[in-house]
C-alpha cells in the first residue's frame, strides 16, 4: 500500500467520506519520489471516485479563498500543496448528515506531502500560511460557473476559528468571497447523495 488513509472526526463523529491521505515517500540524498494518486489503492479503501479535471492555483501569504461549492455539478476534490503550506477547510453541507454544518480543517504541507479528500456535498476553502503556495486539486466533475455557490468565510454558525490560524492579520479576500451569504440563509444545501436541494 502506497498511502495511509486517515478518517476525519468532529466531536467524536466520523465525517463520512472525508479523508486526510499520506503517501509513502521514498527518498535519499538525491531527492524523493511518491505516488500522488493510485486508483488501485484508493479503490481498495472505498474511494472509487473518477477524476475528470486537474486544477492548479498560486496564492500569496494571507490569502483566503472560499468557502466554495457547486450546486448542480458538485465536485469531489483531492487537494494538496505542491509547494508551501495552507490551512484547508471542508464544511459538510449534506442535509441529514450527523455532521451537517460542521467543519474540519487540516494543514496541507508540501514538506510532508499530505492530501485532503473532500467529497461532493461540501464547501471548501483555504488560508495561505507560507510566503506563497501552489495548490493542486483533482476534481470529480467539471467546473460550472453557472452553478457556483459560497458560504461566508467567517460565518458564526459554522464557527471556523480563523483567528487561531490568521492571528490578528486580516485575510486577503476577493470581493466575491467577502460577500457570500451566511449559512442560515439556506436551510438545506445537498441531500445525502450530494444532490442539490437548496434554494
Amino acid at each position: 500500500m502506497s498511502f495511509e488513509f486517515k478518517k476525519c472526526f468532529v466531536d467524536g463523529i466520523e465525517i463520512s467520506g472525508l479523508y486526510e491521505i499520506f503517501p509513502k515517500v521514498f527518498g535519499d540524498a538525491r531527492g524523493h519520489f511518491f505516488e500522488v494518486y493510485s486508483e488501485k489503492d484508493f479503490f481498495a479503501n472505498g474511494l472509487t471516485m473518477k477524476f475528470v479535471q486537474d486544477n492548479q492555483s498560486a496564492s500569496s501569504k494571507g490569502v483566503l479563498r472560499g468557502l466554495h461549492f457547486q450546486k448542480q455539478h458538485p465536485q469531489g476534490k483531492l487537494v494538496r500543496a505542491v509547494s508551501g503550506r495552507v490551512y484547508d477547510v471542508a464544511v459538510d453541507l449534506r442535509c441529514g448528515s450527523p455532521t451537517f454544518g460542521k467543519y474540519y480543517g487540516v494543514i496541507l504541507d508540501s514538506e510532508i506531502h499530505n492530501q485532503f479528500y473532500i467529497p461532493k456535498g461540501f464547501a471548501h476553502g483555504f488560508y495561505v500560511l507560507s510566503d506563497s503556495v501552489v495548490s493542486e486539486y483533482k476534481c470529480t466533475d467539471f467546473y460550472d460557473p453557472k452553478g457556483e455557490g459560497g458560504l461566508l468565510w467567517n460565518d458564526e454558525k459554522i464557527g471556523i476559528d480563523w483567528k487561531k490560524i490568521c492571528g490578528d492579520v486580516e485575510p486577503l479576500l476577493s470581493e466575491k468571497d467577502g460577500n457570500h451569504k451566511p449559512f442560515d440563509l439556506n436551510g438545506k444545501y445537498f441531500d445525502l447523495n450530494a444532490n442539490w436541494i437548496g434554494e
Side-chain angles (χ1 to χ4, degrees), residues 10 15 17 27 39 66 72 75 105 141 143 171 175 192:
V10 61
I15 307 176
E39 181 181 281
Q72 280 71 40
Q75 297 173 310
D141 208 336
Y143 171 64
E175 182 178 355
L192 289 173

Side-chain angles (χ1 to χ4, degrees), residues 125-162:
F126 65 82
Y127 175 81
V128 181
L129 299 167
S130 50
D131 288 340
S132 63
V133 72
V134 174
S135 298
E136 182 180 82
Y137 46 105
K138 303 174 78 67
C139 301
T140 61
D141 208 336
F142 299 103
Y143 171 64
D144 176 22
K146 294 180 180 179
E148 283 186 339
L151 294 175
L152 189 63
W153 67 280
N154 59 351
D155 182 83
E156 292 183 0
K157 181 70 176 289
I158 298 170
I160 300 171
D161 192 358
W162 292 112

Side-chain angles (χ1 to χ4, degrees), residues 36-74:
V36 174
Y37 172 75
S38 166
E39 181 181 281
K40 178 183 68 175
D41 287 351
F42 275 61
F43 276 33
N45 282 271
L47 295 173
T48 57
M49 73 295 284
K50 177 185 177 183
F51 294 111
V52 299
Q53 180 174 315
D54 284 13
N55 299 329
Q56 182 171 299
S57 69
S59 305
S60 56
K61 186 171 185 176
V63 166
L64 193 154
R65 299 186 187 273
L67 301 162
H68 303 148
F69 56 88
Q70 290 192 168
K71 300 175 183 178
Q72 280 71 40
H73 297 279

Side-chain angles (χ1 to χ4, degrees), residues 161-195:
D161 192 358
W162 292 112
K163 187 174 179 62
K164 182 178 178 181
I165 301 298
C166 309
D168 293 324
V169 178
E170 282 294 314
L172 303 173
L173 294 158
S174 70
E175 182 178 355
K176 182 169 66 174
D177 284 350
N179 290 295
H180 286 313
K181 295 178 181 179
F183 177 81
D184 278 345
L185 284 187
N186 195 333
K188 299 177 181 179
Y189 289 87
F190 298 94
D191 66 18
L192 289 173
N193 294 313
N195 298 304

